[in-house]
Amino acid sequence: MPDPLKIDKPPGYAAGIPGVVRALRHVAAEAGLLRGAKALLVLNQKGGIDCMSCAWPEPDGDRRTAEFCESGAKALAWEAVTRQLDEHFFARHSVEDLAGRSDYWLGQQGRLSHPMVLREGSSHYEPLSWQQAFDMISRELNALATPDEAIFYTSGRTSNEAAFLWQLCARMFGTNNMPDCSNMCHESSGTALSETIGIGKGTVTLDDFTKAQVIVILGQNPGTNHPRMLTTLEHAKQAGAKIIAVNPLVEPGLVRFKDPQEFSGIAGHGIALSDLYLQVRINGDVALLKAIAKELLAADAIDRDFIREKTHGWDAFAADLANENFDDLAAQSGISREQIREAAAMLASADRVIACWAMGLTQHKNAVATIQEIVNVLLMRGSLGKPGAGVCPVRGHSNVQGDRTMGIWERPPDAFLDKLAEVFHFDPPRRHGFDTVASIQAMHAGIAKVFLALGGNFVSASPDTEFTAAALRATRLTVQISTKLNRAHLVTGKQALILPCLGRSETDRRKSGLQFVTTENSMGVVQTSQGTLEPGSDELLSEPAIVCGIAKAALASRGNTVDWSALADDYDGIREFIAACIPGCAGYNEKVRRPGGFYLPNAPREGDFENTPARRATFTVHPLPDHNLNPGELVMMTIRSHDQFNTTVYGLDDVYRGIRSGRRVVFMNSADIAARGLHSGDLVDLTSHWRGEERTVRGFSVVPFSIPPSNCATYFPEANPLVPVDSVADKSNTPTSKYVVITVRKTS
């Protein structure tokens, strides 16, 4: 039994020696110090293991001996654990028994070691051979009435090689049903940026941060989610940059950083990061950005030459600003006029501005509009297409950006499909497929009948948990390619398969020799990743080998033109196909072998916006969102704890928010707590309200926190049942996990 929940005062900084101690404690407990140290020494090093945690890039030049953070060390320890889950474990535990355990408990049991099957009507998983698993998948896929009854999901942990093969397998089978992590995180970023600057990615490099004059960080908590970014911000501050933090919660990682590899981080106070902290209301960002833009326009702090030569839509944008009332903008944002003017003055004095953001912006109904308002402000200052300036959507998973580059998308462009047709001699499907939300709805309606997941924990990552669970249970077969046990293995179709795969930290030996894979980070750098640890089980296969096994079996009767066995034995063959099909990847095998890899082309980084509809960088106009709440209602957003990466829970503490031994908590403004007659530590039930529907989760502890009034925050996946499946962002269809209207009632 865990210790009772304890609420402490949050620290005023991130990292430091305590972070090192926590990281090493995890590594020692899970992987053992010797085994763990062997992997840590090559983690994020050139030619070593690309971290399986976040996608923050490494320096192009020399790298520090310890080029990893606490989050990365925990991710490595979680994967490199020596405990195994074999057939005896599953014989002892029924699916019902396991389903009653916590996500944390499931993850602590060890590595999956053998292919397992849950047969229809059975209560326990049992072992089967790899070929039996591949044949079972083939039978179910080929029994479908149409290929569009199958769904091929992809996690951001997947390598470029596995992702390319996965999309090829799905399209040769006949469907574009390819939901992925992007649908739930940065789809809004890709949509917003493609329309306005012509690429769905960021435009900056790591080196740009030391050249920036102002860095704006919106809706992002780097101290917990991307800790290595703190070192980059430290270097930017030392080079003279100012930092503006925009976040509803006061997060220590945005306030002060103690670098454990610097003397000041060990014996001193570290470095103050934010020069200005704007504690915006949840989804008050559009109002804030418009208010800043209005101040810039009033001060004539705009780059008229850049606007005239490089942009489109200025007149309509300026007219819209003129019609906005400043007091209304300030009120909706929750930021005072004085702070807005201070932010505008900082931006007015700089023409090299970088804007960073994460899911605090992307998971709102108006997420695309919010990100395009960021672009508007940067365009006003001419802060795109030059060193030290640009947009930086910070990806949450290590290769989610690479998945999209490799063709994992339910709406592929015709040029890409034409190239597949040319290289592989088949007619790819042209009809757009299902994204994540559409896939859930299709399974729930009985339209989709087979669900295959290349990594991830779909049940815990998705919105509307009960609806998603019912959707998966309605299928004929669910297949999970995984390293460790998670909730998705216990919410299954009539039949289910668990296919255990190698982790990035493990050596991958095939007939042709030792293999490596490649990934793409948040800044478009493609690099190698090669494990150093012995595999946790002799039965494990790599993700590319598993995909090849599925494809070989499933496509045997469909005019298959690919030698899948050859690709499974030598990944250079996969990369040759990537070079032939993916723009910017010519000479892929040669370029990825260069120390540090290579950058993919990025025209907006060079000031070229030809790929936009207007063939120029585009100003856009957006209305203010409607934030009318009924009496007693709050706006809730879901967040991660410090002992968590995405749906993986490493522990039950959130040291940066003062939480010990608990996850079912709700962070509330003190005035909102008092208004409801509640006190710190009280147990409450949370009920979301959406189109006359109610969803409730029970037994959450009240925690007073520095958050704007009428706002609150909870951890996911515990609060995911409150997120309606059909509450989504305009254009991107991303679930609105950062804006859920709820009421709070004391648990009876």
Side-chain angles (χ1 to χ4, degrees):
M1 289 291 291
D3 296 331
L5 176 70
K6 183 179 179 182
I7 304 172
D8 296 329
K9 181 181 179 181
Y13 67 91
I17 293 301
V20 176
V21 172
R22 290 190 297 267
L24 294 180
R25 186 183 298 135
H26 271 269
V27 172
E30 299 298 317
L33 276 178
L34 291 179
R35 177 176 165 87
K38 181 179 179 181
L40 285 176
L41 287 173
V42 297
L43 191 63
N44 292 323
Q45 300 295 335
K46 294 176 181 178
I49 304 167
D50 183 50
C51 184
M52 56 290 292
S53 189
C54 81
W56 191 253
E58 299 77 39
D60 291 332
D62 294 336
R63 299 178 184 179
R64 302 198 285 188
T65 301
E67 192 62 58
F68 59 86
C69 64
E70 180 182 348
S71 180
K74 288 176 178 176
L76 178 112
W78 188 85
E79 178 181 284
V81 63
T82 55
R83 297 185 299 277
Q84 288 191 17
L85 295 187
D86 57 18
E87 63 268 29
H88 303 297
F89 172 87
F90 288 100
R92 292 194 305 271
H93 296 282
S94 68
V95 171
E96 182 180 10
D97 172 27
L98 294 171
R101 310 282 184 156
S102 70
D103 291 70
Y104 172 65
W105 186 92
L106 294 174
Q108 292 301 304
Q109 300 314 298
R111 282 290 298 276
L112 296 162
S113 62
H114 294 75
M116 305 296 293
V117 61
L118 181 67
R119 302 189 187 279
E120 186 171 2
S122 177
S123 60
H124 288 70
Y125 275 99
E126 58 189 74
L128 79 171
S129 71
W130 279 105
Q131 192 56 54
Q132 287 173 322
F134 296 148
D135 290 344
M136 183 177 179
I137 295 169
S138 175
R139 286 194 303 273
E140 290 297 333
L141 286 175
N142 286 295
L144 297 174
T146 168
D148 287 330
E149 291 184 344
I151 292 171
F152 292 77
Y153 174 75
T154 318
S155 161
R157 183 205 69 204
T158 304
S159 68
N160 285 342
E161 288 75 8
F164 181 82
L165 293 175
W166 193 240
Q167 64 81 28
L168 180 62
C169 173
R171 291 190 168 109
M172 293 189 81
F173 181 69
T175 186
N176 284 315
N177 289 345
M178 272 174 268
D180 75 323
C181 288
S182 287
N183 299 151
M184 293 185 279
C185 55
H186 272 285
E187 196 70 58
S188 299
S189 299
T191 302
L193 296 177
S194 295
E195 292 180 351
T196 52
I197 65 172
I199 194 169
K201 303 179 181 182
T203 64
V204 300
T205 68
L206 204 61
D207 186 56
D208 283 318
F209 279 80
T210 57
K211 299 173 181 176
Q213 295 165 303
V214 174
I215 300 167
V216 188
I217 304 172
L218 307 98
Q220 183 196 0
N221 176 20
T224 286
N225 300 333
H226 315 91
R228 286 189 299 119
M229 182 179 176
L230 298 179
T231 302
T232 302
L233 296 177
E234 176 187 37
H235 294 164
K237 290 286 292 186
Q238 292 168 343
K242 302 290 186 182
I243 295 179
I244 302 173
V246 182
N247 201 301
L249 296 163
V250 174
E251 302 284 13
L254 291 169
V255 176
R256 182 172 292 275
F257 171 49
K258 289 190 177 184
D259 188 341
Q261 298 191 59
E262 300 288 344
F263 179 78
S264 63
I266 298 173
H269 298 291
I271 187 169
L273 293 180
S274 296
D275 297 276
L276 178 63
Y277 205 116
L278 304 178
Q279 208 170 346
V280 68
R281 293 181 186 274
I282 294 176
N283 200 15
D285 306 271
V286 168
L288 173 63
L289 291 162
K290 280 197 166 194
I292 291 172
K294 192 173 179 71
E295 284 289 304
L296 291 172
L297 183 60
D300 198 28
I302 58 176
D303 187 335
R304 293 192 180 277
D305 290 340
F306 179 87
I307 291 170
R308 182 180 62 256
E309 296 168 7
K310 293 283 190 177
T311 73
H312 168 77
W314 166 256
D315 290 342
F317 172 72
D320 178 69
L321 283 184
N323 289 330
E324 292 287 3
N325 180 280
F326 193 95
D327 291 336
D328 291 341
L329 296 175
Q332 184 171 120
S333 69
I335 305 300
S336 70
R337 188 172 193 129
E338 291 71 27
Q339 282 194 309
I340 291 171
R341 284 177 168 165
E342 186 178 355
M346 291 172 65
L347 293 170
S349 67
D351 63 0
R352 300 191 305 277
V353 180
I354 293 175
C356 308
W357 68 90
M359 290 190 290
L361 296 193
T362 65
Q363 294 181 324
H364 294 282
K365 178 173 174 55
N366 57 302
V368 171
T370 303
I371 295 160
Q372 290 181 342
E373 290 291 352
I374 294 174
V375 174
N376 286 339
V377 172
L378 294 179
L379 294 180
M380 293 179 79
R381 297 298 304 136
S383 284
L384 275 164
K386 66 170 66 171
V391 293
C392 182
V394 183
R395 297 284 185 168
H397 216 322
S398 56
N399 198 42
V400 65
Q401 185 161 301
D403 287 352
R404 183 57 54 86
T405 299
M406 292 298 114
I408 299 293
W409 197 22
E410 77 281 356
R411 292 177 285 131
D414 285 338
F416 174 67
L417 297 178
D418 291 343
K419 182 58 69 172
L420 289 182
E422 174 190 333
V423 172
F424 293 102
H425 311 293
F426 79 107
D427 186 16
R430 302 280 169 163
R431 190 174 74 174
H432 289 173
F434 298 140
D435 64 7
T436 294
V437 169
S439 293
I440 295 168
Q441 293 168 330
M443 289 187 287
H444 199 276
I447 296 170
K449 298 180 174 63
V450 172
F451 177 84
L452 303 96
L454 182 56
N457 181 355
F458 191 78
V459 173
S460 294
S462 297
D464 215 337
T465 307
E466 294 305 317
F467 188 93
T468 298
L472 288 166
R473 292 188 181 107
T475 63
R476 292 192 338 212
L477 174 68
T478 50
V479 180
Q480 306 288 339
I481 301 170
S482 309
T483 55
K484 296 184 77 174
L485 188 64
N486 65 50
R487 185 69 50 192
H489 303 130
L490 311 174
V491 180
T492 72
K494 292 180 175 60
Q495 304 173 91
L497 287 169
I498 299 174
L499 306 183
C501 65
L502 290 170
R504 278 199 204 159
S505 60
E506 295 169 311
T507 54
D508 182 5
R509 293 183 177 89
R510 305 296 297 170
K511 288 182 180 178
S512 64
L514 195 63
Q515 304 296 311
F516 66 84
V517 294
T518 58
T519 59
E520 178 188 345
N521 64 34
S522 272
M523 294 178 187
V525 178
V526 178
Q527 68 242 310
T528 64
S529 181
Q530 187 167 50
T532 62
L533 302 180
E534 285 301 308
S537 164
D538 293 337
E539 286 289 316
L540 301 180
L541 291 180
S542 69
E543 288 181 330
I546 294 172
V547 177
C548 286
I550 292 171
K552 181 179 179 181
L555 303 177
S557 62
R558 291 177 174 263
N560 174 46
T561 59
V562 177
D563 188 344
W564 298 99
S565 296
L567 296 180
D569 288 334
D570 187 348
Y571 302 169
D572 275 357
I574 307 171
R575 289 185 282 270
E576 287 300 321
F577 282 130
I578 290 173
C581 297
I582 305 298
C585 289
Y588 196 80
N589 266 313
E590 174 191 352
K591 290 193 288 189
V592 296
R593 283 177 163 85
R594 299 171 187 166
F598 70 97
Y599 281 89
L600 289 169
N602 191 308
R605 183 179 289 162
E606 309 303 322
D608 179 358
F609 307 107
E610 287 285 322
N611 288 327
T612 63
R615 306 190 71 175
R616 285 169 165 250
T618 303
F619 284 97
T620 50
V621 175
H622 305 284
L624 292 177
D626 182 2
H627 290 324
N628 292 326
L629 296 176
N630 294 319
E633 291 181 338
L634 303 173
V635 175
M636 181 201 79
M637 64 178 183
T638 63
I639 56 176
R640 293 182 192 167
S641 79
H642 187 64
D643 255 354
Q644 172 182 4
F645 181 75
N646 289 349
T647 59
T648 301
V649 178
Y650 302 127
L652 301 178
D653 296 343
D654 190 352
V655 295
Y656 292 164
R657 299 190 182 103
I659 301 299
R660 302 278 182 177
S661 195
R663 290 185 52 82
R664 295 184 74 83
V665 300
V666 53
F667 298 98
M668 295 176 62
N669 181 283
S670 294
D672 291 328
I673 294 172
R676 287 158 180 77
L678 300 172
H679 301 88
S680 177
D682 281 351
L683 289 182
V684 295
D685 299 337
L686 313 178
T687 299
S688 68
H689 305 271
W690 171 252
R691 295 178 177 173
E693 301 172 353
E694 292 187 350
R695 296 163 175 81
T696 298
V697 292
R698 305 187 186 282
F700 280 62
S701 295
V702 171
V703 177
F705 207 79
S706 180
I707 188 170
S710 299
N711 291 175
C712 65
T714 53
Y715 298 133
F716 71 84
E718 286 81 1
N720 281 5
L722 299 176
V723 184
V725 72
D726 53 348
S727 177
V728 296
D730 297 331
K731 295 186 178 181
S732 70
N733 213 38
T734 296
T736 59
S737 300
K738 294 296 185 287
Y739 196 97
V740 182
V741 176
I742 70 165
T743 51
V744 177
R745 183 176 60 186
K746 193 167 185 177
T747 300
S748 56

